Amino acid sequence: MGGAVSRTPAPRQGRVSRAGHRPIYRAMPFDARPQAPDAAPAEARNRRAVARWLLAVAGLIWVMVTLGGATRLTGSGLSIMEWAPLSGALPPMSDAEWQRLYDLYRTIPQYQLVNAGFGLEGFKGIFWLEWSHRFWGRLIGFVYAGGLAWFWLRGRIPAGYKPRLLLLLALGGMQGLVGWIMVASGFEADRTAVSPYRLVIHLMLALLLFAMVLWTALTLLRPGPAPAEAKSLRASLHAAAGLAMLTILAGGFVAGIRAGLDYNTFPLMDGRWVPEGYWRLTPLWQNLTQNIAAVQFNHRLLATLTLAAALFAAFRAQPLPAGRARHAAFALLGAIVLQYALGVATLLAVVPAWLGTLHQAVAVLVLTAAILALHATRRAARPGAIA
Ligand code: HEM
């Protein structure tokens, strides 16, 4: 019966005739054709649409992290001394408003110790980056909350995802607040920069949000566990991804205490493999966060271990058939090699703003590759967990 036209109701999915592979509805009268012959089931369409929206949000977070790096590296972060989530969306509209904000800025130690006398024009120069950073944060909030409401009201959020999407909304709001608490620490007496601990918390929360948004999008697009052949790469990719995340954390402290302005040689630090004074501070744990020599050494060491682990994972992936896990192993190695080279260049050039900003942006690329690797080798979801 090749090519015969069925008289039963039109099929929902475009069935194909055996002769010539043409969909059988071509031969039907127009009215009898299915409305959307190639439409995937609604659930799959919803998963894809929500995933695309989340990927767009992840892209916006990436830009936000990059803007944050540029704001910090140009010393712009303390220029807006007010926390006004709604009214602050508009920049100053009059000379009087500019003067008011400048006068406020002139009361803090950073102005007196670093920027004294740089004038209203100098102030405007540092104002715009901080304003753009905050504006972008509002944009992310708008796109996320607006998208969530849109999908929710249309009943298009896939089953089980509502609590997670609400959690991401709460974390995003918290990130705005943490950002302000961080900025406020820079106004304290004798301070010309923000607290390194608060800076690291702000950076890590941004990256956690990014990772969760990306992971959720990937899970929507590819539910279910990784194929069996990915299993042999799981341990080595997990090690490389875990080390990459530790290196990122350590990098936050390098940035926080400006440890990149010292020991600008590589691979040796002041002519030694392990710098003198590694354990200078007591209690000893303080060396991990406050001792320039130790903080920079730890970042280099972790970066090198990450590179070695990524090389090992790629080596193990090489003989495997092409697949997501294999691609992820090579992508992770590529991102880490690039970031390692950028880190060395940033250090040797004594942290120019553009290179430091690039190093911060590419850290998000490393994280993206790490998340892809973890997702490509994930186990079956626990019973009751969403897939
Ligand atoms: C896996 C490789 C690496 C990762 C994932 C990584 C990640 C990071 C991150 C997240 C930061 C904080 C954000 C920022 O850039 O300000 C940072 C800062 C920094 N990293 Fe790395 N890094 C890596 C390798 C290296 C290497 C090999 C060096 C040099 C030997 C290096 C030198 C620096 C310096 C100097 C800073 C401070 C930059 C600043 O003050 O803005 N990094 N890194």
Side-chain angles (χ1 to χ4, degrees), residues 330-345:
F330 291 124
L332 186 59
L333 177 63
I336 287 171
V337 168
L338 174 65
Q339 178 70 339
Y340 199 100
L342 274 174
V344 175

Side-chain angles (χ1 to χ4, degrees), residues 2 25 46 66 90 114 133 158 161 179 186 191 202 218 230-231 238 246 277 282 299 325 362 372 382 385:
Y25 49 78
N46 289 344
T66 307
L90 288 177
V114 181
H133 185 54
Y161 277 83
R191 269 199 175 279
H202 187 55
L218 291 173
K231 204 176 146 200
H238 276 225
L246 277 180
T282 42
H299 186 51
V362 176
L372 286 173
R382 274 173 284 112

Side-chain angles (χ1 to χ4, degrees), residues 79-279:
S79 59
I80 306 181
M81 296 188 52
E82 290 167 335
W83 165 248
L86 292 179
S87 59
L90 288 177
M93 295 294 187
S94 64
D95 289 347
E97 184 59 5
W98 273 116
Q99 193 59 46
R100 186 183 74 78
L101 291 178
Y102 180 41
D103 288 345
L104 259 180
Y105 178 70
R106 285 199 294 175
T107 62
I108 65 168
Q110 190 191 59
Y111 171 76
Q112 286 138 21
L113 299 172
V114 181
N115 288 328
F118 74 160
L120 189 56
E121 283 313 305
F123 173 69
K124 285 182 181 173
I126 63 168
F127 174 93
W128 282 114
L129 254 177
E130 172 65 4
W131 184 83
S132 311
H133 185 54
R134 294 190 190 195
F135 175 83
W136 205 263
R138 289 182 175 96
L139 179 70
I140 296 176
F142 180 75
V143 171
Y144 189 83
L148 184 59
W150 194 85
F151 284 116
W152 195 301
L153 292 175
R154 278 169 178 69
R156 295 192 61 186
I157 298 187
Y161 277 83
K162 282 180 181 167
R164 192 190 292 194
L165 295 177
L166 284 177
L167 174 71
L168 288 172
L169 180 69
L171 282 178
M174 208 168 99
Q175 172 68 343
L177 191 63
V178 168
W180 171 247
I181 293 172
M182 174 189 75
V183 168
S185 69
F187 302 146
E188 290 163 9
D190 297 333
R191 269 199 175 279
T192 58
V194 300
S195 145
Y197 295 104
R198 295 188 196 184
L199 182 96
V200 170
I201 293 172
H202 187 55
L203 176 69
M204 293 316 280
L205 187 54
L207 297 179
L208 176 72
L209 250 173
F210 174 85
M212 287 175 72
V213 169
L214 182 61
W215 184 273
T216 307
L218 291 173
T219 308
L220 281 162
L221 290 173
R222 295 179 191 272
E229 62 266 23
K231 204 176 146 200
S232 63
L233 278 182
R234 189 174 287 146
S236 50
L237 278 179
H238 276 225
L243 279 166
M245 287 176 200
L246 277 180
T247 309
I248 289 174
L249 174 67
F253 282 104
V254 179
I257 62 170
R258 303 180 183 193
L261 302 180
D262 279 302
Y263 302 101
N264 300 96
T265 52
F266 186 84
L268 299 185
M269 294 176 71
D270 241 356
R272 300 170 56 127
W273 286 102
V274 181
E276 218 174 337
Y278 183 96
W279 294 115

